[in-house]
Amino acid sequence: MKRETDAPRFTLNAQLPSGTAYNRALFMDTTTISHIGEKAGGSATVQGWLYNRRSSGKIQFLIVRDGTGYLQAVVPRADVPAEVWEAAERASQECSLRVTGTVREEKRAPGGYEMSAQSVEILGPSEGYPITPKEHGVDFLMNLRHLWMRSSQQHAVLRVRSEIEQAIRDFFYRREFTLIDSPILTGSAVEGTSTLFETDYFGDKAYLSQSGQLYLEPAAAAFGKVYCFGPTFRAEKSKTRRHLTEFWMIEPEVAFLRFEGLVELAEDLIVTVMGRVLERCQEDLKRLERDTKKLEAIQKPFPRITYREAVQKLAALGFSVKFGDDLGADEETALAKDLDRPLVVSRFPAAIKSFYMQPDPEDPEVVLGLDMLAPEGYGEIIGGSERIYDLALLEKRIEEHELPRDAYEWYLDVRRFGTFPHSGFGMGLERFVAWACGIHHLREAIPYPRTLKRIYP
RNA sequence: UCCUCAGUAGCUCAAUGGCAGAGCACCCGGCUGUUAACCGGGGGGUUGUAGGUUCAAAUCCUACCUGAGGAGCCA
């Protein structure tokens, strides 16, 4: 079955204007390694950093990386001037360098092409590079995150992340959503202040946003289909591999969309973006040793279970859960176990969910909310709901949750002036990236992770 | 906040009460097809901090610091 992936049809370099200074510098005088095949049989110059060097007395192999790929340059002592041989000998791990030579296909070389070097020029030396080609501990590597991202697996993860972000934007653009950037500095909390980072705002308190949702609901009334995609901050003292204090969240909000449509939108997003990763990131997934069969299995429809059904199933499995209890990590794992695609859990008791969730008209004890649990233990990647659109009910819920009414007046205006049913969800970018890449910990799914114990570098 | 585990060379680790060691990295030498190359040599230590037990502590005890994994909470 052919997937819809939203991948653009053009290739990147074809769109670049010719004759600009940066174009000459980047694409004419030198060749990016990802395009080295186009130079096979001729001469080329690459510039980048030394990934590794091996020597065997009278021959040296320089592995050069430039961010787009890896190229092995061969320096045979007999074939090059003495100063070129010596420059190659001086080249140390991660020094920057420029290498010119003839390019040819070579099966023995990583990448399939190899350069016979005619000149080697060291641009910037690198002495005592701390990350050696052996094992290191996580704390050590995270202290060197600015350098660690040069390493092949970290580099691959961040390339996949970039592709995922682009795929998400393409997904919503193609469906005629309007991008609405929600504020990062906010004056009021969505729910309580215990998980908010507080900052001084000219003598008043301000908080770093933990969700763009409240700002998107009014925008849905202005534009119909909207989404935001930005950083989100949670001051939760979570100390697990599934949590960051700063992470990126994608939040669509759609006017007149009911709950069933919301679940389909969430499914479509997951399937489309995962398809795009499979189509465009094969090389990176291979470097990450990701089992792509697991990703190919991510197809519609996803299995669904209501909270009530989940409680029954868990009780049958021996868990002591009853209606009204929150599902913990063990319970979620038990439900998602043995599934090859995400599980949609829906219709939770109102008491354990957010104040703005719409009650199910057929079962008023529960609300039209959904959690999507990724397979392979990656946990909740999406949480969303249909929103309450009745003013009186929303006012009642704000009171029940003991929220400061004044701070929500502007939000209530959405219900005062032409209220409408609407739905939305939030997807955690890093959880999706970690899942796609098959990496163990969220901190490797973001360039500079912020966790309970880390704000450096 | 709670529970569990760990801090020894730049890095990864060994030494379990008796002389502080190995591999990698770095420096020197060797090798014309290496794939985390390999072979030989060299320099490199306040054993997280403070106190205690002991003839003797990396090792046992106490406190603290730092980190990791998990719970809760969530994306």
Side-chain angles (χ1 to χ4, degrees):
Chain A
M1 186 179 107
K2 180 67 186 158
R3 279 170 183 265
E4 174 203 13
T5 64
D6 291 339
R9 291 196 174 80
F10 53 84
T11 60
L12 296 175
N13 285 355
Q15 297 292 309
L16 291 171
S18 59
T20 61
Y22 75 83
N23 199 23
R24 276 197 300 279
L26 290 173
F27 301 112
M28 291 172 71
D29 298 342
T30 65
T31 303
T32 51
I33 292 172
S34 59
H35 290 271
I36 200 70
E38 295 158 23
K39 299 282 185 171
S43 176
T45 298
V46 297
Q47 48 193 3
W49 297 263
L50 186 72
Y51 193 67
N52 200 0
R53 178 169 65 91
R54 287 181 280 269
S55 80
S56 189
K58 296 195 172 63
I59 186 168
Q60 294 183 69
F61 300 92
L62 308 180
I63 314 291
V64 181
R65 46 158 280 268
D66 71 349
T68 73
Y70 301 81
L71 179 66
Q72 175 162 282
V74 193
V75 187
R77 188 167 206 166
D79 301 348
V80 298
E83 63 267 24
V84 172
W85 176 261
E86 283 155 18
E89 277 194 315
R90 276 202 317 279
S92 54
Q93 191 186 1
E94 289 302 327
C95 71
S96 54
L97 72 174
R98 182 183 292 131
V99 184
T100 299
T102 55
V103 180
R104 59 174 196 289
E105 278 192 66
E106 170 58 69
K107 288 196 170 58
R108 285 173 294 184
Y113 293 92
E114 187 174 79
M115 174 181 279
S116 294
Q118 282 144 9
S119 87
V120 174
E121 183 188 353
I122 294 174
L123 306 174
S126 167
E127 299 299 331
Y129 189 73
I131 302 176
T132 66
K134 293 283 176 181
E135 284 177 30
H136 299 284
V138 173
D139 189 49
F140 173 77
L141 290 169
M142 274 301 170
N143 283 329
L144 297 169
R145 183 59 171 170
H146 53 295
L147 301 177
W148 192 24
M149 62 172 67
R150 301 183 186 193
S151 300
S152 65
Q153 292 207 340
Q154 297 304 311
H155 186 261
V157 171
L158 296 179
R159 289 219 301 188
V160 173
R161 177 188 169 105
S162 171
E163 186 68 36
I164 287 170
E165 291 197 55
Q166 190 64 48
I168 289 168
R169 294 192 186 285
D170 289 345
F171 176 90
F172 287 109
Y173 184 79
R174 191 159 153 177
R175 284 161 182 74
E176 300 180 306
F177 279 64
T178 302
L179 174 66
I180 298 294
D181 298 313
S182 55
I184 289 170
L185 287 168
T186 65
S188 68
V190 175
E191 299 152 79
T193 56
S194 62
T195 63
L196 287 170
F197 285 106
E198 188 182 304
T199 186
D200 176 76
Y201 196 75
F202 308 113
D204 286 331
K205 283 177 182 174
Y207 305 93
L208 300 186
S209 173
Q210 59 177 4
S211 168
Q213 182 199 324
L214 296 198
Y215 300 94
L216 281 185
E217 289 186 48
F223 302 92
K225 291 178 284 187
V226 297
Y227 76 103
C228 67
F229 192 176
T232 301
F233 307 89
R234 302 271 168 98
E236 293 159 0
K237 295 200 171 173
S238 299
K239 205 167 140 42
T240 83
R241 63 173 186 270
R242 294 188 309 280
H243 291 87
L244 298 168
T245 53
E246 176 182 302
F247 64 96
W248 285 61
M249 189 155 66
I250 175 87
E251 292 176 278
E253 193 72 36
V254 184
F256 303 109
L257 184 71
R258 307 308 289 254
F259 186 68
E260 280 310 312
L262 181 73
V263 178
E264 282 176 27
L265 180 68
E267 266 180 347
D268 270 344
L269 176 66
I270 299 290
V271 170
T272 304
V273 174
M274 200 58 93
R276 172 85 164 257
V277 170
L278 282 165
E279 183 185 326
R280 302 277 293 236
C281 302
Q282 280 296 327
E283 197 182 319
D284 293 316
L285 293 175
K286 192 174 175 188
R287 196 169 282 279
L288 292 164
E289 295 172 3
R290 182 60 165 126
D291 180 358
T292 52
K293 286 200 175 59
K294 292 250 169 59
L295 304 183
E296 284 159 9
I298 309 306
Q299 297 284 0
K300 290 195 287 184
F302 295 170
R304 297 166 198 209
I305 189 171
T306 66
Y307 171 87
R308 283 186 192 280
E309 291 164 349
V311 168
Q312 281 182 355
K313 188 175 174 184
L314 288 166
L317 290 170
F319 288 89
S320 60
V321 287
K322 57 182 191 304
F323 185 88
D325 292 343
D326 230 330
L327 302 182
D330 289 347
E331 285 84 3
E332 286 188 357
T333 305
L335 290 173
K337 189 165 65 74
D338 305 328
L339 295 176
D340 63 348
R341 57 193 77 188
L343 174 68
V344 177
V345 187
S346 65
R347 293 176 166 82
F348 300 88
I352 60 169
K353 284 293 176 181
S354 303
F355 74 95
Y356 49 72
M357 291 192 182
Q358 174 72 21
D360 183 350
E362 295 171 8
D363 184 359
E365 273 189 299
V366 302
V367 291
L368 296 173
L370 78 101
D371 284 353
M372 189 182 283
L373 309 175
E376 300 177 75
Y378 284 95
E380 188 179 335
I381 47 170
I382 282 178
S385 73
E386 189 169 325
R387 322 300 192 192
I388 292 173
Y389 57 91
D390 180 74
L391 177 63
L393 177 59
L394 191 56
E395 287 174 322
K396 185 166 163 255
R397 286 288 156 82
I398 286 174
E399 205 171 298
E400 285 168 1
H401 282 77
E402 295 176 346
L403 297 168
R405 169 69 185 258
D406 291 355
Y408 290 89
E409 284 302 325
W410 66 274
Y411 179 68
L412 292 168
D413 273 352
V414 177
R415 281 76 182 172
R416 287 192 186 103
F417 303 105
T419 194
F420 56 108
H422 58 288
S423 305
F425 64 78
M427 181 174 93
L429 175 67
E430 288 75 16
R431 288 187 179 177
F432 190 93
V433 171
W435 174 32
C437 292
I439 55 178
H440 187 64
H441 203 302
L442 243 53
R443 65 191 158 204
E444 294 176 31
I446 187 168
Y448 294 95
R450 296 289 177 255
T451 67
L452 189 55
K453 294 292 180 185
R454 178 169 300 283
I455 196 165
Y456 174 92

